[in-house]
């Protein structure tokens, strides 16, 4: 059964520190002028945007060292992710988006040539997308008694991004207003898709930096 939900920015518990990190600050805060722009831009986006998500839970046919199957459809997240899905007997596939309102807001800033504010708004959008996965997790925990894994998405941690198409095949066309391009990118910008594993035993949780080989990432938490 597909479940669709909508939510506001203030339901995501976003901190200014989250946004500063997304902007590239590592433990430091920007000066007062930039901090003020962050606060005012977040306030504008919070009043404007209605975020959306859609998800469903399905039985899993099997889980191996590199793949898992829903009925006869196989996903291959690979040997980095699959160990963290062991014990999964159900899976939650989901999509979520900051929405068209956010995309239009960014486009307007671009048209105005407001480069600094556009940079700040883009960083806020990144946080919105990341926190949307956490919102789906909160919904899952409130609606199921099963243990839940960390989220994983095609295109990350060695998972072939082409499997976005397979994931989207489980949803109606343009779920939550999200379309998928021929290169497997999502529009509106700041949309996310992925899965949570569900099971009866506690999952092994990863810091995603353990799985990612982008050693130059400014968010990297381990060397």
């Amino acid at each position: 059964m597909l479940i669709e939900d909508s939510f506001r920015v203030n339901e995501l518990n976003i901190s200014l520190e989250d946004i500063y990190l997304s902007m590239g600050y590592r433990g430091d805060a920007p000066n007062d002028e930039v901090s003020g722009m962050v606060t005012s831009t977040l306030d504008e986006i919070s009043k404007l945007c209605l975020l959306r998500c859609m998800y469903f839970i399905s039985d899993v046919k099997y889980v191996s060292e590199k793949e898992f199957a829903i009925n006869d459809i196989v996903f291959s997240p690979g040997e980095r992710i699959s160990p963290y899905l062991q014990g999964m007997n159900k899976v939650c596939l989901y999509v979520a988006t900051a929405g068209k309102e956010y995309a239009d807001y960014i486009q307007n800033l671009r048209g105005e040539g407001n480069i600094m504010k556009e940079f700040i708004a883009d960083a806020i959008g990144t946080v919105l997308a990341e926190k949307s996965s956490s919102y789906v997790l909160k919904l899952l925990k409130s609606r199921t008694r099963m243990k839940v894994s960390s989220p994983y998405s095609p295109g990350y941690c060695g998972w072939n991004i082409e499997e976005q198409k397979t994931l989207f095949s489980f949803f109606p066309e343009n779920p939550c207003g999200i379309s998928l391009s021929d290169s497997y990118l999502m529009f509106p910008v700041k949309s996310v898709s992925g899965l949570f594993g569900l099971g009866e035993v506690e999952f092994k949780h990863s810091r995603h930096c353990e799985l990612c080989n982008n050693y130059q990432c400014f968010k990297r938490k381990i060397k």
Side-chain angles (χ1 to χ4, degrees):
M1 179 178 64
L2 286 169
I3 299 174
E4 188 169 7
D5 204 345
S6 60
F7 48 101
R8 293 288 183 181
V9 174
N10 60 12
E11 297 181 66
L12 298 179
N13 297 319
I14 293 173
S15 70
L16 292 178
E17 287 71 25
D18 293 327
I19 299 170
Y20 297 155
L21 179 60
S22 184
M23 292 172 64
Y25 294 91
R26 293 186 66 98
D28 298 318
N31 61 40
D32 290 344
E33 180 181 2
V34 175
S35 296
M37 290 183 67
V38 170
T39 300
S40 62
T41 304
L42 177 61
D43 184 59
E44 289 178 5
I45 291 174
S46 298
K47 293 175 180 176
L48 178 68
C49 289
L50 179 66
L51 297 92
R52 299 169 179 85
C53 67
M54 184 181 292
Y55 69 94
F56 80 101
I57 297 172
S58 174
D59 290 332
V60 172
K61 189 174 182 179
Y62 70 84
V63 183
S64 73
E65 294 180 354
K66 294 184 179 180
E67 62 186 30
F68 68 90
I70 301 174
N71 298 324
D72 294 325
I73 298 178
V74 177
F75 286 89
S76 301
E79 58 187 11
R80 289 181 180 172
I81 295 175
S82 293
Y84 295 93
L85 298 176
Q86 297 305 309
M88 174 176 74
N89 50 43
K90 292 182 182 292
V91 64
C92 170
L93 301 182
Y94 73 92
V95 295
T97 182
K100 185 177 185 300
E101 299 89 348
Y102 172 83
D104 290 344
Y105 179 82
I106 283 284
Q107 190 63 38
N108 289 336
L109 292 179
R110 190 166 296 138
E112 295 169 1
N114 195 334
I115 296 174
M116 185 60 189
K117 193 169 183 179
E118 181 187 346
F119 169 71
I120 291 170
D122 182 80
I124 292 172
T126 298
V127 176
L128 292 181
E130 292 174 349
K131 293 288 187 177
S132 293
S133 292
S134 299
Y135 184 83
V136 176
L137 174 61
K138 183 175 75 173
L139 293 178
L140 283 176
K141 287 185 174 180
S142 70
R143 296 172 180 175
T144 178
R145 296 182 179 180
M146 303 182 77
K147 307 296 185 182
V148 185
S149 76
S150 299
Y152 300 99
S153 302
Y156 293 89
C157 309
W159 188 354
N160 192 330
I161 196 171
E162 292 183 11
E163 292 206 351
Q164 282 275 51
K165 185 175 181 180
T166 307
L167 189 151
F168 268 72
S169 71
F170 285 86
F171 293 93
E173 185 176 5
N174 299 335
C176 299
I178 304 170
S179 61
L180 193 64
S181 74
D182 292 339
S183 56
Y184 312 105
L185 299 179
M186 291 176 284
F187 185 83
V189 295
K190 308 309 180 184
S191 298
V192 293
S193 66
L195 67 82
F196 290 95
L198 303 172
E200 303 300 330
V201 296
E202 197 70 46
F203 286 91
K204 177 183 177 184
H205 289 277
S206 68
R207 291 184 295 177
H208 279 28
C209 295
E210 295 171 341
L211 307 180
C212 178
N213 59 5
N214 180 8
Y215 296 101
Q216 304 305 316
C217 175
F218 69 89
K219 288 188 176 182
R220 193 168 184 83
K221 295 179 175 62
I222 52 178
K223 297 180 180 180

